[in-house]
Amino acid sequence: MEFRTDYPENYRAGFACFVGRPNTGKSTLTNALVGEKVAITSAKPQTTRHTIRGIIHQEDHQLILVDTPGLHKPRTLLGSRLNDLVASTLSEVDVIGFCLPADEPIGPGDRYIASQLELLDGRTPIVALVTKTDKVSQEKVAEALLAVGALADFADVVPVSAVDGFQIDTVDSVLTGHLPVSPPLYPEGELTDEPEEMMIAELVREAALEGVRDELPHSLAAQVEEMYPREGRSDNNPLWNVHVNLYVERSSQKAIIIGKGGSRLKAIGSESRRGIEALLGTKVYLDLHVKIAKDWQRDPKQLGRLGFDFS
């Protein structure tokens, strides 16, 4: 891929960061804006554990989206590190999108985040994004906009629905208006700078999160052990071997992931393999193993080994 050289004189490029309580639609909005799946989504809160950069290429701008974990009151060392990751990201972007869902009233979590954003002291413009407007009536959307407008002095307030595409282009335009004039920062056509191994691990973890108990997402991690092309395959019929470990904290959680007779693990493999094959553009042999890493969320060494060092 090559950098674009024919960009207009007033071309803008820069970074935008989405913040908000867990499960306020940040990852879904990232995917909708980019047009491809670059961030894990789930109905379970706190499913994003890494900053995911999604890159939007338009004729007059390049908007790089940084999707962070949801800010929350941490209960574990992992939770503290996720909050630290958000704080460091906020100091490095050109504009912040604060996601507040239209189908929920403003609560203590939203006010906590607003207070943290106030500490930026106006150095970074903050755009309020009233998400999930497809879930409520127009009257409720209007009420949500008024409530959000009263929460803080935002640079802009934009209602949006990532599900039905309502005002996706407007969000892109508003965020871009706060970017500096700059040449492109990423090559044309590149959608994310995340390593393939991390995206594969996230696809597996997303599949594993579906239909499990509420406490399990926080105890679940996925890591690609190795991936390589199968020898002896022709160029016209390649096959990649992908070996992924799923880590839980207790034997009872391992049983949940495996399921009766291995049925659940098989379903996880089938679901995630489709996403991995789309990502790699080739057929995949996916080998999944479930392992116990006791109390890994509270163990600095295990956090580092699983990719949550953030230093």
Side-chain angles (χ1 to χ4, degrees):
M1 293 185 183
E2 296 181 356
F3 279 89
R4 180 179 175 183
T5 57
D6 61 341
Y7 54 87
E9 182 179 355
N10 292 323
Y11 191 92
R12 294 177 181 268
F15 294 85
C17 173
F18 290 155
V19 299
R21 287 185 290 104
N23 199 27
T24 53
K26 301 182 296 299
S27 295
T28 307
L29 185 55
T30 294
N31 292 333
L33 284 161
V34 177
E36 296 282 349
K37 186 167 188 171
V38 295
I40 182 174
T41 59
S42 171
K44 305 295 183 183
Q46 286 173 246
T47 51
T48 302
R49 286 177 174 162
H50 300 274
T51 55
I52 305 289
R53 287 181 171 84
I55 306 167
I56 301 165
H57 302 269
Q58 298 290 358
E59 181 60 32
D60 60 351
H61 69 268
Q62 186 180 83
L63 176 62
I64 300 106
L65 299 174
V66 184
D67 182 36
T68 66
L71 275 168
H72 61 288
K73 186 174 289 187
R75 296 180 294 107
T76 64
L77 178 59
L78 173 62
S80 296
R81 289 192 177 177
L82 293 178
N83 276 359
D84 290 343
L85 176 63
V86 177
S88 64
T89 302
L90 294 181
S91 64
E92 298 170 355
V93 298
D94 301 296
V95 58
I96 297 168
F98 183 6
C99 294
L100 301 112
D103 63 336
E104 299 177 32
I106 291 174
D110 301 308
R111 295 187 183 92
Y112 168 75
I113 295 170
S115 69
Q116 297 300 300
L117 295 176
E118 282 184 6
L119 299 178
L120 296 172
D121 208 20
R123 294 187 301 273
T124 306
I126 301 167
V127 176
L129 301 172
V130 180
T131 60
K132 304 186 181 183
T133 58
D134 57 289
K135 291 191 171 185
V136 297
S137 65
Q138 290 186 350
E139 182 181 357
K140 289 293 184 181
V141 171
E143 291 176 2
L145 290 172
L146 288 173
V148 168
L151 181 62
D153 185 18
F154 296 112
D156 300 280
V157 179
V158 183
V160 61
S161 168
V163 172
D164 60 19
F166 173 65
Q167 296 237 111
I168 291 294
D169 290 343
T170 301
V171 172
D172 180 22
S173 176
V174 169
L175 293 176
T176 299
H178 296 287
L179 302 182
V181 174
S182 165
L185 302 175
Y186 285 87
E188 186 76 10
E190 192 165 312
L191 298 180
T192 180
D193 67 354
E194 284 298 304
E196 285 181 340
E197 289 88 347
M198 185 176 293
M199 295 185 71
I200 288 170
E202 289 291 272
L203 286 169
V204 172
R205 192 164 67 91
E206 178 180 37
L209 287 175
E210 293 304 316
V212 297
R213 296 179 185 175
D214 289 343
E215 74 273 11
L216 190 53
H218 314 298
S219 305
L220 185 65
Q223 188 174 53
V224 175
E225 185 177 17
E226 58 180 345
M227 53 183 287
Y228 52 89
R230 177 82 59 90
E231 291 184 3
R233 304 282 292 208
S234 68
D235 292 340
N236 295 328
N237 188 29
L239 178 73
W240 274 73
N241 293 321
V242 179
H243 300 271
V244 179
N245 291 328
L246 276 164
Y247 292 94
V248 293
E249 294 186 308
R250 298 188 299 275
S251 57
S252 59
Q253 295 169 340
K254 181 177 181 178
I256 293 172
I257 291 296
I258 293 175
K260 187 175 181 179
S263 59
R264 174 150 189 77
L265 188 62
K266 184 178 179 180
I268 292 169
S270 298
E271 175 64 25
S272 55
R273 186 173 58 250
R274 284 194 288 270
I276 296 168
E277 289 181 340
L279 175 67
L280 298 180
T282 183
K283 290 290 185 181
V284 165
Y285 169 75
L286 179 61
D287 182 37
L288 293 181
H289 290 274
V290 185
K291 298 187 175 184
I292 299 172
K294 189 175 180 181
D295 294 330
W296 67 263
Q297 294 185 87
R298 295 172 172 82
D299 185 333
K301 288 185 178 180
Q302 293 198 91
L303 281 174
R305 183 168 59 84
L306 292 174
F308 298 110
D309 190 8
F310 304 138
S311 59

